[in-house]
């Protein structure tokens, strides 16, 4: 029997997946130079252009799903491709961006849309894919709270346990196939590598990421034991990021970045970040000549070219999202 590409995408998570939900007053993603490569102006994406959600939609052969907060401005036809509930800065629990909806609340929004019966039918969900992104905001919040590092492994288990609850709930609402991103190597983000002049990843941070990913694999295996074997699929961002970052000779479809840990857009001082301006409107950041030459856009997020390379590495992995 021929496998079919899902024709609808529902997205939950954070800035690695948000295509415009976060309010303009709350995020750099609505300020220049974000969006400079696509669509040519800020669009709420935390990058110079397209991000994970866009590349997954492209793989499925559909338009990128409309952000939840824009649903009332979209035509019925546009809504048929699914909906994006992800908000930048959020996690499975409350994060430093407290007023924003965590993943539980995002799934509540999804449930309300389904309950209205105006847009999606149960049969629509049978040909749908959900993407669940957790890029580490819960862990950033843990560190900001100055909690003891000895508590970290126990907290990682809490995050993965809650992720399992979320995955189970999305499936129970009727989504046939669910892709969950593994945690990317946080120790390789420019925010962590600036102390080595963007030369070396932080091994102790990546060790904690590995624990998260081991527990996530166990949780997904448990879920697949209860459902059909391939209902839940892990998109291995950890391996894909490292494959691109360590790429010495150009693999097919994967850009070789000369200094892959160095971001394209960076604040002039440690107190500034990409998009900051002073009272006179003078830029407090610098930007590289061509974002296509950088894997990272800012100190946390890949460029469009970075995401394109990651999804090129994930191509084999993506076959598992077919229904």
């Amino acid at each position: 029997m021929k496998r079919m590409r899902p024709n609808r995408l529902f997205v939950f998570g954070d800035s690695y997946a948000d295509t415009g939900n976060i309010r303009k007053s709350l995020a750099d993603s609505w300020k220049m130079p974000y969006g400079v490569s696509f669509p040519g102006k800020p669009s709420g994406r935390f990058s110079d252009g397209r991000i994970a959600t866009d590349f997954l939609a492209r793989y499925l052969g559909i338009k990128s799903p409309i952000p939840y907060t824009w649903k009332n401005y979209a035509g019925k036809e546009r809504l048929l491709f699914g909906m994006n509930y992800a908000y930048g800065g959020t996690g499975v629990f409350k994060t430093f961006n407290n007023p924003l909806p965590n993943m539980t609340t995002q799934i509540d929004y999804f449930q309300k849309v389904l309950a209205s019966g105006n847009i999606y039918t149960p049969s629509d969900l049978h040909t749908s894919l959900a993407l669940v992104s957790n890029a580490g905001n819960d862990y950033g919040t843990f560190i900001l709270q100055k909690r003891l590092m000895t508590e970290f492994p126990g907290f990682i288990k809490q995050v993965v346990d809650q992720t399992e609850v979320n995955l189970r709930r999305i499936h129970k609402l009727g989504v046939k196939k669910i892709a969950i991103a593994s945690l990317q190597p946080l120790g390789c983000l420019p925010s962590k590598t600036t102390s080595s002049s963007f030369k070396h990843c932080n091994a102790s941070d990546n060790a904690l990421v590995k624990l998260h990913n081991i527990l996530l694999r166990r949780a997904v295996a448990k879920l697949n034991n209860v459902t059909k074997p391939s209902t839940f699929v892990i998109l291995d961002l950890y391996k894909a990021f490292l494959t691109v970052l360590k790429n010495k000779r150009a693999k097919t479809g994967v850009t070789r970045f000369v200094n892959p840990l160095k971001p394209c857009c960076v604040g002039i001082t440690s107190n500034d970040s990409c998009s900051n301006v002073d009272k006179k409107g003078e830029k407090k950041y610098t930007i590289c000549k061509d974002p296509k030459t950088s894997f990272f856009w800012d100190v946390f997020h890949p460029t469009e070219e970075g995401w394109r390379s990651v999804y090129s590495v994930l191509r084999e992995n993506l076959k598992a999202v077919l229904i």
Side-chain angles (χ1 to χ4, degrees):
M1 185 175 137
K2 192 178 178 186
R3 298 174 80 198
M4 189 177 75
R5 287 176 192 267
N7 54 17
R8 235 166 250 93
L9 179 60
F10 296 103
V11 183
F12 307 89
D14 44 42
S15 59
Y16 273 28
D18 183 359
T19 53
N21 276 318
I22 194 166
R23 282 209 313 272
K24 293 186 177 183
S25 59
L26 292 175
D28 288 345
S29 58
W30 285 105
K31 300 172 188 170
M32 286 297 287
Y34 286 80
V36 68
S37 301
F38 172 84
K41 61 181 181 181
S43 67
R45 289 170 173 82
F46 289 78
S47 186
D48 65 306
R50 295 170 183 86
I51 60 167
T53 300
D54 303 301
F55 284 102
L56 183 53
R58 181 184 284 182
Y59 176 79
L60 299 178
I62 63 173
K63 289 184 178 175
S64 210
I66 204 82
Y68 168 73
T69 53
W70 298 87
K71 69 183 186 303
N72 296 334
Y73 306 98
K76 181 105 179 173
E77 196 178 315
R78 189 77 173 80
L79 294 171
L80 292 176
F81 298 111
M83 202 173 284
N84 187 345
Y85 298 88
Y87 281 76
T90 63
V92 299
F93 300 124
K94 287 287 184 190
T95 61
F96 45 84
N97 284 311
N98 220 358
L100 294 172
N102 66 12
M103 202 175 291
T104 299
T105 308
Q106 292 172 27
I107 300 169
D108 290 344
Y109 294 163
F110 178 48
Q111 192 167 357
K112 282 176 190 168
V113 168
L114 296 181
S116 73
N118 297 330
I119 307 172
Y120 307 111
T121 65
S123 62
D124 287 335
L125 297 184
H126 290 160
T127 55
S128 297
L129 171 70
L131 170 65
V132 176
S133 169
N134 181 355
N137 289 319
D138 293 292
Y139 301 134
T141 302
F142 180 98
I143 290 163
L144 282 174
Q145 290 169 340
K146 294 185 166 55
R147 290 173 62 179
L148 295 171
M149 289 305 287
T150 50
E151 295 175 11
F152 219 138
F155 182 65
I156 291 171
K157 185 176 185 309
Q158 287 173 26
V159 168
V160 174
D161 286 350
Q162 184 58 45
T163 301
E164 184 184 336
V165 169
N166 295 341
L167 295 173
R168 203 185 293 273
R169 190 173 161 212
I170 294 166
H171 182 251
K172 198 173 178 183
L173 287 169
V175 180
K176 179 118 178 183
K177 189 76 106 169
I178 299 166
I180 166 77
S182 70
L183 192 58
Q184 78 279 14
L186 295 176
C188 297
L189 299 184
S191 58
K192 296 290 186 177
T193 63
T194 180
S195 57
S196 69
S197 301
F198 310 114
K199 298 292 183 208
H200 307 291
C201 296
N202 184 309
S204 56
D205 282 346
N206 284 348
L208 291 165
V209 172
K210 285 177 187 172
L211 174 59
H212 171 101
N213 289 336
I214 288 167
L215 295 178
L216 182 65
R217 286 194 181 281
R218 283 183 197 159
V220 166
K222 189 164 78 173
L223 289 168
N224 279 332
N225 278 338
V226 178
T227 61
K228 287 184 179 175
S230 58
T231 300
F232 299 89
V233 176
I234 290 177
L235 297 181
D236 195 348
L237 280 197
Y238 186 87
K239 185 178 176 184
F241 267 56
L242 288 182
T243 299
V244 178
L245 292 173
K246 292 177 177 178
N247 187 23
K248 293 288 186 272
R249 54 180 82 79
K251 288 183 168 64
T252 307
V254 180
T255 301
R256 182 179 177 273
F257 299 100
V258 177
N259 190 353
L261 299 179
K262 187 177 181 181
C264 173
C265 187
V266 67
I268 290 170
T269 72
S270 58
N271 294 323
D272 299 313
S273 60
C274 184
S275 86
N276 283 176
V277 293
D278 64 18
K279 288 174 183 174
K280 294 178 184 173
E282 296 288 324
K283 294 174 187 173
K284 301 286 283 179
Y285 61 88
T286 59
I287 184 170
C288 62
K289 281 184 183 174
D290 182 6
K292 277 191 168 65
T293 62
S294 296
F295 177 78
F296 285 109
W297 168 243
D298 58 19
V299 296
F300 298 110
H301 307 97
T303 57
E304 176 176 311
E305 191 64 19
W307 277 121
R308 193 192 64 74
S309 291
V310 163
Y311 267 76
S312 184
V313 171
L314 286 173
R315 191 162 290 278
E316 282 302 309
N317 199 180
L318 286 171
K319 288 178 183 173
V321 305
L322 301 181
I323 294 170

